[in-house]
Amino acid sequence: MIKLSDVTMKYKASARPALSNMSLELDKGEFAFLIGPSGSGKSTFFRVLLKEDKPSSGDVYVGDFHVNKLKARMVPKLRQSIGCVFQDFRLLQQKSVADNVAFALEVIGKPPSTIAKAVPEVLEYVGLEGKLDRMPYELSGGEMQRVAIARAIVNRPLLLLADEPTGNLDPDTSQEIVDVLDRVNRRGTTVVMATHDRQIVDAMRRRVIEFDAGQLVRNDVQGIYGIG
Ligand code: ADP
Ligand code: ADP
């Protein structure tokens, strides 16, 4: 599902590469945690997968996409295959819960009949039945993140990238959000979650990928946060 082959990504301004000769493979259906200190390259990794950053060298594959060779007109197709969730939720504040999710389908031209069916289904799936007409400011942090997850998966992406999705949530709510991501994964979507949350990583016992200064320093199946 994801393959990086000897990828180096160097930002013009900085001396050391954000990703350094990185090789990494993730199979379809996996759930992986991505850990490492701030500045270790986690966000750059996500941006490279989305073709928002261009590697200086090496090859990047996501599903059937050869990302670093992808024609500009195919980039939207790539991005539609990847759902994204962020620490700060990034909901549209002027739109209701249902409209936030519907918007993701409208922009890719789905017909109203499909949208009318998919939106309540996916919101029920993430545990927000009965909240379709709420506005974001009426929701708790955990509920906002559920909306963001619903929006990210409603188009059934191959891959879900979650960049510190529990960074603004208390421990109980964090666990609930990870349970939602776990369910999404068990239905076939590959999930990569960047996190600093030891408790969650240790409780889940899924693959742990660790970056340090742009290098892959650990890739453990069923890892724990602390030691390899
Ligand atoms: P993380 O997500 O693990 O905190 P990043 O991928 O954001 O790490 O950063 C990796 C390295 O790349 C850091 O040294 C950071 O300063 C640098 N970096 C990130 N974005 C940019 C940018 N737009 N321009 C220059 N350097 C950047
Ligand atoms: P069930 O069999 O429990 O009724 P479905 O397979 O019908 O569940 O899924 C219900 C809805 O949940 C789907 O229409 C879809 O909106 C959403 N859904 C479930 N799993 C995923 C997934 N992995 N990716 C995207 N959407 C999903």
Side-chain angles (χ1 to χ4, degrees), residues 9 11-14 16-19 36-45 47 53 163-164 196 211 214:
M9 158 78 215
Y11 291 103
K12 281 197 185 69
S14 61
R16 100 174 146 66
L19 298 176
S38 290
S40 58
K42 303 182 298 295
S43 308
T44 301
F45 172 66
R47 287 198 298 268
D53 279 340
D163 198 350
E164 292 207 46
H196 292 288
F211 290 177

Side-chain angles (χ1 to χ4, degrees), residues 36 65 98 110 141 189 199 208:
F65 297 97
K110 294 283 181 191
T189 304
Q199 247 176 306
V208 176

Side-chain angles (χ1 to χ4, degrees), residues 117-119 121-126 152-157 183-189:
K117 187 164 176 293
V119 169
E121 271 179 13
V122 75
L123 285 168
E124 186 184 343
Y125 185 76
V126 301
I153 67 170
V154 68
N155 188 31
R156 296 206 167 251
R183 276 204 287 140
V184 170
N185 171 249
R186 288 175 194 281
R187 303 300 276 278
T189 304

Side-chain angles (χ1 to χ4, degrees), residues 181-213:
L181 295 176
D182 187 49
R183 276 204 287 140
V184 170
N185 171 249
R186 288 175 194 281
R187 303 300 276 278
T189 304
T190 307
V191 176
V192 183
M193 172 172 160
T195 186
H196 292 288
D197 191 329
R198 287 161 186 275
Q199 247 176 306
I200 280 174
V201 173
D202 292 347
M204 296 287 290
R205 293 297 174 105
R206 309 297 280 268
R207 182 182 289 267
V208 176
I209 295 163
E210 183 173 356
F211 290 177
D212 189 23

